[in-house]
Amino acid sequence: MKRLLLLVSVVAFLLSACNHSEQDFQKATEIGSVSAYDNFITNHQKSDLVADARDSIVAIFERNDDLHAIANGIYNIMDYDAADRVRNILTQRVNAFYGQVAAENSISGWTTFLDAVPDGYENDARKRLSELQWKDESTAWQMATDNNNQASYEKYLELHPKGKHLKQAERKLIDLEVAAAFAGEHGILPQMDKGYSTGTSYSVIEIENRTQYDLTVSYSGPDSKRMVISPYATRSMRIGNGNYRVAANVGHGVIPFAGTEYLDGSHFSSSFYISTTRF
């Protein structure tokens, strides 16, 4: 008789636990949140309803079209199996989206893709977007001016040698090269010899290169111009009057010159050679 009572007691306990599990699952379903189902799984790990709770978590994210929200939600799911299933859903959606955008291969498409996908899921989208942007002349110029560095202007000139911003790009590049010369180690630019007056709004610059290397002399000011003079050669150019920052460089580890000059409508001349004396 005692054994029978004990058996009935155990059965009653199991029925009570089962009813409690069903009640908690029903409450989680009524709330309908990830945290509610997570709490159910944590509190009823051996319940047959755990699989249903996981399915419910996955279903919540299947109804969500915001890829960023799904990615953030993955880290808030306490159940590993459910989180892994949601992560697979996110990966599949991103891959499908990527395929659609790749087929179109447009600037607007890749921009939309990068805005929509979470960090770590961009694939090579940024590279492909950049390639298209640099191929488009107007977009390439905007990128060059936004970056405002030598590499960007050089890239613009390389890809669009006949672009409508050609002169602006060349001028910007010269200005940046001169600024870089001033910012780095440099010798003081020797003053040029001033000759006769031209009586015009421009000056004439004549430079002799007495080195074994190509000499690049760049003027940054009212005009931005550059001369490349071959070894042991002389070249001249006309340039508008005004105050200029000037840089002269032959590369090959030789310290460049940098300094300022005022051009007043005269003929100026100078010679450059390599010296072991530091100025």
Side-chain angles (χ1 to χ4, degrees):
M1 187 65 178
K2 290 182 179 180
R3 290 180 179 178
L4 178 60
L5 290 175
L6 179 61
L7 179 60
V8 171
S9 176
V10 170
V11 171
F13 174 77
L14 291 175
L15 289 175
S16 175
C18 181
N19 290 335
H20 182 62
S21 172
E22 291 177 353
Q23 290 173 2
D24 284 354
F25 182 77
Q26 182 61 35
K27 290 179 182 179
T29 302
E30 291 173 358
I31 296 171
S33 68
V34 172
S35 60
Y37 288 117
D38 264 330
N39 289 333
F40 174 83
I41 294 171
T42 300
N43 296 326
H44 302 280
Q45 296 181 17
K46 295 183 179 180
S47 171
D48 293 339
L49 294 172
V50 166
D52 292 336
R54 287 172 177 160
D55 290 342
S56 297
I57 290 175
V58 174
I60 289 174
F61 287 97
E62 283 180 332
R63 295 191 296 268
N64 196 330
D65 294 326
D66 187 338
L67 300 181
H68 287 283
I70 296 174
N72 291 333
I74 290 172
Y75 298 103
N76 295 322
I77 300 173
M78 292 183 289
D79 183 75
Y80 175 82
D81 290 335
D84 194 48
R85 288 171 62 185
V86 173
R87 187 176 292 105
N88 288 337
I89 290 173
L90 176 60
T91 300
Q92 290 170 9
R93 285 193 184 179
V94 170
N95 289 343
F97 190 11
Y98 178 91
Q100 295 171 1
V101 175
E104 177 188 339
N105 197 32
S106 68
I107 291 176
S108 61
W110 288 118
T111 301
T112 300
F113 177 84
L114 288 170
D115 288 339
V117 301
D119 293 342
Y121 288 83
E122 300 92 339
N123 214 325
D124 62 347
R126 294 192 186 282
K127 177 183 177 182
R128 298 188 66 166
L129 172 61
S130 179
E131 290 173 349
L132 289 175
Q133 289 174 323
W134 279 110
K135 288 180 180 178
D136 180 78
E137 196 268 338
S138 60
T139 307
W141 175 245
Q142 184 62 53
M143 292 174 65
T145 54
D146 287 345
N147 295 335
N148 197 35
N149 57 42
Q150 290 178 246
S152 293
Y153 289 117
E154 287 172 349
K155 188 168 185 176
Y156 172 85
L157 290 170
E158 176 187 352
L159 295 174
H160 305 282
K162 296 182 180 179
K164 63 181 180 180
H165 300 286
L166 173 64
K167 296 298 182 182
Q168 291 170 274
E170 290 176 338
R171 175 166 184 159
K172 284 284 189 179
L173 190 55
I174 291 171
D175 292 342
L176 288 170
E177 288 173 349
V178 172
F182 272 83
E185 183 182 12
H186 62 273
I188 302 302
L189 184 75
Q191 290 296 310
M192 293 187 298
D193 294 329
K194 182 177 178 180
Y196 60 86
S197 173
T198 63
T200 63
S201 60
Y202 62 84
S203 298
V204 176
I205 307 296
E206 183 178 287
I207 297 177
E208 178 188 14
N209 178 11
R210 294 169 58 187
T211 79
Q212 68 269 40
Y213 307 116
D214 287 339
L215 169 67
T216 300
V217 182
S218 302
Y219 281 73
S220 175
D223 284 343
S224 293
K225 291 189 175 183
R226 179 198 296 118
M227 270 199 304
V228 179
I229 305 135
S230 301
Y232 308 109
T234 300
R235 284 193 62 187
S236 62
M237 70 176 181
R238 298 194 309 179
I239 188 169
N241 296 334
N243 289 303
Y244 284 86
R245 300 216 304 170
V246 187
N249 187 20
V250 296
H252 300 280
V254 179
I255 297 174
F257 283 124
T260 59
E261 291 178 354
Y262 175 70
L263 306 181
D264 60 359
S266 299
H267 182 280
F268 296 88
S269 62
S270 63
S271 296
F272 285 85
Y273 56 92
I274 297 175
S275 172
T276 56
T277 302
R278 295 179 65 90
F279 293 90

